[in-house]
Amino acid sequence: MDQHTIIQPQVAARSGYMPKTRLAVSLLFLMNGFVTGSWAPKIPEFKDKLGIGESVLGLLILAFGIGSLVLMPIAGGFIARMGSQKVVKVTAIILSPLLLLLTLLPNVWTAAIGMFLLGGFVGAMDVAMNANAVEVEKSMRRAIMSSCHAYWSLGGLIGAASGGLVMAHFGVYVHAVLVTLFCLAVLAVAWPMILADQPHPDVAKQKLRLPMTPLPWLIGLVALFSMVPEGTVLDWGALYLRNELGASVAMSGFGFAAFSATMAIMRFAGDHVRDRFGGVKTLRVCTLTALVGLVLAGLAPNAPLAILGFALAGVGISNMVPIAFSAAGNMPGLAPGIGLSVATFMGYSGMLFAPSLIGFIAEHTGFSIVFTCVPILFLVVLALSHHAVHADPKGHD
């Protein structure tokens, strides 16, 4: 009897590194990232086919963002009612052919609806797969969120890198069909292994009412202030290197490459770091690293030093959002879908809308000042970092 009580908690304490449920949710992240990455190289062709200018294209991309922000909280409500497994399956099936649908749409008005749906189901699936990842974390008693986000980055990289090549050799329609088939194949592999989690009927009865307690909104603020700087680097880093630091066209791409490479690598390592040191310490060290990196990039006298700053920022930012999402999905007295929908809504709204505002500011101030001042947001993240204790399976100190 004594032996049982000693051995059993050890068995329950931590499961194997890659059980089927973890593989399934990792594949879902890969698929979602692949769709998003596959869309990027289609943008010039999409613009030409519809015969539109940059401003109309900007409004269509805004429709993508609005779709995400509308469907994310709705997905959160359905997750509370039905569990994340059912919601992630439905949203993944609907998302799979949407890029093909978008390729077939004939005019701007139908394209706007297509963009709204694409953004909406990318976002809804995002909430559902993050909620499922939280449940897998709980079942494994092991941090997995950072590596899940690394698989998303990997999917985005594969989608973006292969998209241009496939379109150049086989055309846009073949590319769209292949994207759909790839998504369905990944989904077929993941389907039987997706963790079946319990719905939260008590929370579902609240319909889609937003949480009244401050905690989910404070963690949402952490996600927001972690993702605004990420969006700033992704959208404006190359332009800053080229226009203000005199980098060549080739070198200006290295800022984004260095940032995304260190981010992907650190996301794969992030779970082990968080298991070892806990969510609070990991978030604080990551935030300080990102702060130093962006200030270095903003004050750099030349492009190589700025690229080093972006690489350092990638190391820091990589695990800030996964920790915020884990904390959002593990809040006491709140269903994972509800907490996550708040964090994803706030985080992605920063990623989608802040860069255009920053572009407007930079027109008047220059990007050097922007990259030096944006890290002020990290001070708020540091002030709220003690809430990251909810990201840990049993809470580290």
Side-chain angles (χ1 to χ4, degrees):
M1 192 71 142
D2 264 2
Q3 214 176 2
H4 270 340
T5 49
I6 292 164
I7 290 168
Q8 233 167 335
Q10 285 181 331
V11 173
R14 183 138 323 159
S15 71
Y17 179 74
M18 187 58 86
K20 287 181 176 179
T21 51
R22 180 177 185 177
L23 176 61
V25 79
S26 299
L27 287 171
L28 293 171
F29 272 83
L30 182 86
M31 178 199 142
N32 190 282
F34 179 77
V35 172
T36 311
S38 298
W39 158 242
K42 280 184 71 70
I43 294 173
E45 174 276 328
F46 184 69
K47 176 176 171 288
D48 292 344
K49 188 188 85 167
L50 295 174
I52 55 176
E54 276 78 7
S55 55
V56 177
L57 180 65
L59 289 172
L60 288 176
I61 290 170
L62 193 63
F64 180 99
I66 292 166
S68 286
L69 298 185
V70 168
L71 265 68
M72 276 176 171
I74 294 171
F78 276 110
I79 291 162
R81 265 196 287 277
M82 302 162 68
S84 66
Q85 184 206 39
K86 285 179 182 162
V87 178
V88 84
K89 283 181 172 181
V90 170
T91 52
I93 287 172
I94 296 170
L95 177 61
S96 294
L98 283 183
L99 212 62
L100 177 58
L101 175 73
L102 204 59
T103 308
L104 298 170
L105 293 173
N107 57 47
V108 172
W109 299 109
T110 51
I113 296 165
M115 287 292 283
F116 179 89
L117 291 173
L118 181 66
F121 282 98
V122 164
M125 184 185 170
D126 199 301
V127 177
M129 68 194 187
N130 273 290
N132 196 260
V134 166
E135 296 297 335
V136 174
E137 273 193 334
K138 285 178 188 170
S139 71
M140 290 179 67
R141 310 254 177 135
R142 183 193 286 276
I144 70 157
M145 191 64 85
S146 293
S147 67
C148 283
H149 284 254
Y151 279 105
W152 190 93
S153 301
L154 189 63
L157 185 64
I158 295 166
S162 63
L165 290 170
V166 173
M167 281 191 279
H169 286 88
F170 303 106
V172 288
Y173 295 107
V174 172
H175 170 252
V177 169
L178 289 176
V179 168
T180 305
L181 292 175
F182 178 85
C183 289
L184 292 172
V186 170
L187 195 53
V189 174
W191 191 275
M193 302 186 288
I194 300 169
L195 179 74
D197 56 329
Q198 292 304 308
H200 301 261
D202 48 324
V203 183
K205 281 175 195 158
Q206 298 167 13
K207 301 284 183 204
L208 294 177
R209 209 169 63 215
L210 292 168
M212 294 296 110
T213 53
L215 184 58
W217 299 100
L218 291 174
I219 290 173
L221 207 58
V222 171
L224 172 65
F225 286 173
S226 300
M227 290 180 87
V228 168
E230 183 180 344
T232 307
V233 176
L234 296 183
D235 289 339
W236 302 115
L239 208 62
Y240 165 56
L241 290 170
R242 182 97 179 95
N243 292 0
E244 293 182 28
L245 296 178
S248 65
V249 174
M251 188 179 262
S252 63
F254 289 153
F256 168 69
F259 178 79
S260 53
T262 55
M263 181 177 274
I265 292 162
M266 287 309 296
R267 280 185 164 168
F268 278 115
D271 297 319
H272 305 292
V273 174
R274 180 147 61 103
D275 278 334
R276 175 74 182 81
F277 297 106
V280 176
K281 279 181 193 161
T282 306
L283 180 61
R284 284 174 182 165
V285 171
C286 282
T287 305
L288 286 168
T289 306
L291 192 150
V292 170
L294 279 189
V295 171
L296 175 62
L299 298 177
N302 55 49
L305 207 56
I307 290 167
L308 178 65
F310 286 140
L312 203 56
V315 169
I317 291 172
S318 60
N319 291 304
M320 291 167 67
V321 175
I323 288 171
F325 283 0
S326 277
N330 280 301
M331 278 179 285
L334 199 64
I338 300 293
L340 266 167
S341 64
V342 171
T344 48
F345 182 93
M346 289 180 72
Y348 285 102
S349 64
M351 189 105 169
L352 292 162
F353 299 113
S356 54
L357 176 65
I358 282 163
F360 175 75
I361 294 166
E363 244 179 284
H364 301 278
T365 64
F367 286 112
S368 175
I369 290 171
V370 165
F371 283 115
T372 310
C373 292
V374 159
I376 290 168
L377 300 177
F378 292 145
L379 299 178
V380 179
V381 175
L382 284 172
L384 296 171
S385 60
H386 58 285
H387 293 304
V389 70
H390 298 294
D392 299 321
K394 282 294 170 192
H396 291 249
D397 265 337

Coordinates of all heavy atoms in Angstrom, one line a residue, residues 10-49:
Q10 N 4.3 9.6 -8.7 CA 5.5 9.8 -9.6 C 5.0 9.5 -11.0 O 5.4 10.2 -11.9 CB 6.6 8.9 -9.2 CG 7.3 9.4 -7.9 CD 8.5 8.5 -7.6 OE1 8.5 7.3 -7.8 NE2 9.5 9.1 -6.9
V11 N 4.2 8.5 -11.2 CA 3.7 8.1 -12.5 C 2.9 9.2 -13.0 O 2.9 9.7 -14.2 CB 3.0 6.8 -12.5 CG1 2.3 6.5 -13.8 CG2 3.9 5.6 -12.1
A12 N 2.0 9.8 -12.1 CA 1.0 10.8 -12.5 C 1.7 12.2 -12.7 O 1.2 13.0 -13.4 CB -0.1 11.0 -11.5
A13 N 2.9 12.3 -12.1 CA 3.6 13.6 -12.1 C 3.9 14.1 -13.5 O 3.8 15.2 -13.8 CB 4.8 13.5 -11.2
R14 N 4.3 13.2 -14.3 CA 4.7 13.6 -15.7 C 4.6 12.5 -16.6 O 5.1 11.4 -16.4 CB 6.2 14.1 -15.6 CG 6.6 14.6 -16.9 CD 7.4 15.9 -16.9 NE 7.0 16.9 -15.9 CZ 7.9 17.8 -15.6 NH1 9.1 17.8 -16.1 NH2 7.6 18.8 -14.7
S15 N 4.0 12.7 -17.8 CA 3.9 11.6 -18.8 C 5.0 11.7 -19.8 O 5.8 12.6 -19.7 CB 2.5 11.7 -19.5 OG 2.5 12.8 -20.3
G16 N 5.0 10.8 -20.7 CA 6.1 10.7 -21.7 C 6.2 12.0 -22.6 O 5.2 12.8 -22.6
Y17 N 7.3 12.2 -23.3 CA 7.5 13.4 -24.0 C 6.6 13.7 -25.1 O 6.1 14.8 -25.3 CB 9.0 13.4 -24.5 CG 9.3 14.7 -25.3 CD1 9.5 15.9 -24.6 CD2 9.4 14.7 -26.7 CE1 9.8 17.1 -25.3 CE2 9.6 15.9 -27.3 CZ 9.8 17.1 -26.6 OH 10.1 18.2 -27.3
M18 N 6.2 12.7 -25.9 CA 5.4 12.9 -27.1 C 4.2 11.9 -27.2 O 4.2 11.0 -28.1 CB 6.2 12.9 -28.4 CG 5.5 13.3 -29.7 SD 4.7 14.9 -29.7 CE 6.1 16.0 -30.2
P19 N 3.3 11.9 -26.3 CA 2.1 11.0 -26.4 C 1.3 11.4 -27.6 O 1.5 12.5 -28.2 CB 1.3 11.2 -25.1 CG 1.7 12.6 -24.6 CD 3.1 12.8 -25.1
K20 N 0.3 10.6 -28.0 CA -0.4 10.9 -29.2 C -1.2 12.2 -29.2 O -1.3 12.9 -30.2 CB -1.4 9.7 -29.5 CG -0.7 8.4 -30.0 CD -1.7 7.3 -30.2 CE -1.1 6.1 -30.8 NZ -2.0 5.0 -31.0
T21 N -1.7 12.5 -28.0 CA -2.5 13.8 -27.8 C -1.6 15.0 -28.1 O -2.1 16.0 -28.7 CB -3.1 13.9 -26.4 OG1 -2.0 13.7 -25.4 CG2 -4.2 12.8 -26.2
R22 N -0.3 14.9 -27.7 CA 0.6 16.0 -27.9 C 0.9 16.1 -29.4 O 1.0 17.2 -30.0 CB 1.8 15.9 -27.1 CG 2.8 17.1 -27.3 CD 4.0 17.0 -26.4 NE 4.9 18.2 -26.6 CZ 6.0 18.4 -25.9 NH1 6.4 17.5 -25.0 NH2 6.7 19.5 -26.1
L23 N 1.2 15.0 -30.0 CA 1.5 14.9 -31.5 C 0.3 15.5 -32.3 O 0.5 16.3 -33.2 CB 1.7 13.5 -31.9 CG 2.0 13.3 -33.4 CD1 3.2 14.0 -33.9 CD2 2.1 11.8 -33.7
A24 N -0.9 15.2 -31.9 CA -2.1 15.6 -32.6 C -2.2 17.2 -32.5 O -2.4 17.8 -33.5 CB -3.4 15.0 -32.0
V25 N -2.1 17.7 -31.3 CA -2.3 19.2 -31.2 C -1.1 19.9 -31.8 O -1.3 21.0 -32.4 CB -2.5 19.6 -29.7 CG1 -1.2 19.6 -28.9 CG2 -3.2 21.0 -29.6
S26 N 0.1 19.3 -31.9 CA 1.2 19.9 -32.6 C 1.0 20.0 -34.1 O 1.3 20.9 -34.7 CB 2.5 19.1 -32.3 OG 2.8 19.1 -31.0
L27 N 0.3 18.9 -34.6 CA 0.0 18.9 -36.0 C -1.1 19.9 -36.4 O -1.1 20.5 -37.4 CB -0.5 17.5 -36.4 CG 0.5 16.4 -36.5 CD1 -0.1 15.0 -36.7 CD2 1.5 16.6 -37.7
L28 N -2.0 20.2 -35.4 CA -3.0 21.2 -35.6 C -2.4 22.6 -35.7 O -2.8 23.4 -36.6 CB -4.1 21.1 -34.5 CG -5.0 19.9 -34.5 CD1 -5.8 19.9 -33.2 CD2 -5.9 19.8 -35.7
F29 N -1.4 22.8 -34.9 CA -0.7 24.1 -34.9 C 0.1 24.2 -36.2 O 0.1 25.3 -36.9 CB 0.3 24.2 -33.7 CG -0.3 24.8 -32.5 CD1 -1.1 24.0 -31.6 CD2 -0.2 26.1 -32.2 CE1 -1.6 24.6 -30.4 CE2 -0.7 26.7 -31.0 CZ -1.5 25.9 -30.2
L30 N 0.7 23.1 -36.7 CA 1.4 23.1 -37.9 C 0.5 23.4 -39.1 O 0.8 24.3 -39.9 CB 2.1 21.7 -38.1 CG 2.9 21.6 -39.4 CD1 4.4 22.1 -39.2 CD2 3.0 20.1 -39.9
M31 N -0.7 22.8 -39.1 CA -1.7 23.0 -40.2 C -2.1 24.5 -40.2 O -2.2 25.1 -41.3 CB -2.8 22.1 -40.0 CG -3.9 22.3 -41.0 SD -5.5 21.6 -40.5 CE -6.6 22.8 -41.2
N32 N -2.5 25.0 -39.0 CA -3.0 26.4 -39.0 C -1.9 27.4 -39.4 O -2.2 28.3 -40.2 CB -3.4 26.7 -37.5 CG -4.1 28.1 -37.4 OD1 -3.5 29.1 -37.4 ND2 -5.4 28.0 -37.3
G33 N -0.6 27.2 -39.0 CA 0.5 28.0 -39.5 C 0.7 27.9 -41.0 O 1.0 28.9 -41.6
F34 N 0.5 26.6 -41.5 CA 0.7 26.4 -42.9 C -0.2 27.2 -43.8 O 0.1 27.8 -44.8 CB 0.6 24.9 -43.2 CG 0.8 24.5 -44.6 CD1 2.1 24.5 -45.2 CD2 -0.3 24.2 -45.4 CE1 2.2 24.1 -46.5 CE2 -0.2 23.9 -46.8 CZ 1.1 23.8 -47.3
V35 N -1.5 27.2 -43.3 CA -2.5 28.0 -44.1 C -2.2 29.5 -44.1 O -2.2 30.1 -45.1 CB -3.9 27.8 -43.5 CG1 -5.0 28.7 -44.1 CG2 -4.4 26.3 -43.7
T36 N -1.8 30.0 -42.9 CA -1.4 31.4 -42.8 C -0.2 31.7 -43.6 O -0.2 32.7 -44.4 CB -1.2 31.7 -41.3 OG1 -2.3 31.3 -40.5 CG2 -1.0 33.2 -41.1
G37 N 0.8 30.8 -43.6 CA 2.0 31.0 -44.4 C 1.8 30.9 -45.9 O 2.4 31.6 -46.7
S38 N 0.9 30.0 -46.3 CA 0.5 29.8 -47.7 C -0.2 31.0 -48.3 O -0.1 31.3 -49.5 CB -0.3 28.6 -47.9 OG 0.4 27.4 -47.4
W39 N -0.9 31.8 -47.4 CA -1.6 32.9 -47.9 C -0.6 34.1 -48.3 O -0.9 34.8 -49.3 CB -2.6 33.4 -46.8 CG -3.0 34.8 -46.9 CD1 -2.8 35.8 -46.0 CD2 -3.7 35.5 -48.0 NE1 -3.3 37.0 -46.4 CE2 -3.9 36.8 -47.7 CE3 -4.2 35.0 -49.2 CZ2 -4.5 37.7 -48.5 CZ3 -4.9 35.9 -50.0 CH2 -5.0 37.2 -49.7
A40 N 0.5 34.2 -47.5 CA 1.4 35.3 -47.8 C 1.9 35.4 -49.2 O 1.8 36.5 -49.8 CB 2.6 35.2 -46.8
P41 N 2.4 34.4 -49.8 CA 2.9 34.5 -51.2 C 1.8 34.7 -52.2 O 2.0 35.0 -53.4 CB 3.7 33.2 -51.5 CG 3.1 32.2 -50.5 CD 2.7 33.0 -49.3
K42 N 0.5 34.5 -51.8 CA -0.6 34.7 -52.8 C -1.0 36.1 -52.9 O -1.7 36.5 -53.8 CB -1.8 33.9 -52.3 CG -1.8 32.4 -52.6 CD -3.1 31.7 -52.1 CE -4.3 32.1 -53.0 NZ -4.2 31.5 -54.3
I43 N -0.6 37.0 -51.9 CA -1.1 38.3 -51.9 C -0.9 39.1 -53.2 O -1.9 39.7 -53.7 CB -0.5 39.1 -50.7 CG1 -1.1 38.5 -49.4 CG2 -0.9 40.6 -50.7 CD1 -0.5 39.0 -48.1
P44 N 0.3 39.1 -53.8 CA 0.5 39.9 -55.1 C -0.4 39.4 -56.2 O -1.0 40.2 -56.9 CB 2.0 39.6 -55.4 CG 2.6 39.2 -54.1 CD 1.6 38.5 -53.4
E45 N -0.6 38.1 -56.3 CA -1.4 37.5 -57.4 C -2.9 37.9 -57.1 O -3.7 38.2 -58.0 CB -1.2 36.0 -57.4 CG -2.1 35.2 -58.4 CD -3.5 34.9 -57.8 OE1 -3.6 34.7 -56.5 OE2 -4.5 34.9 -58.5
F46 N -3.3 37.8 -55.9 CA -4.7 38.1 -55.4 C -5.0 39.6 -55.8 O -6.0 39.9 -56.3 CB -4.7 37.9 -53.9 CG -6.0 38.1 -53.2 CD1 -7.1 37.2 -53.5 CD2 -6.3 39.2 -52.4 CE1 -8.3 37.4 -52.9 CE2 -7.5 39.4 -51.8 CZ -8.5 38.5 -52.0
K47 N -4.0 40.5 -55.5 CA -4.2 41.9 -55.8 C -4.3 42.1 -57.3 O -5.2 42.9 -57.8 CB -3.0 42.6 -55.3 CG -2.9 44.1 -55.5 CD -1.7 44.7 -54.8 CE -1.4 46.2 -55.2 NZ -0.9 46.3 -56.6
D48 N -3.5 41.5 -58.1 CA -3.5 41.6 -59.6 C -4.8 41.1 -60.2 O -5.4 41.7 -61.1 CB -2.3 40.9 -60.2 CG -1.0 41.6 -59.9 OD1 -1.0 42.8 -59.4 OD2 0.1 41.0 -60.0
K49 N -5.2 39.9 -59.7 CA -6.4 39.3 -60.2 C -7.7 40.2 -60.0 O -8.5 40.3 -60.9 CB -6.6 37.9 -59.6 CG -7.7 37.1 -60.2 CD -8.0 35.8 -59.4 CE -9.0 36.1 -58.3 NZ -9.6 34.9 -57.7

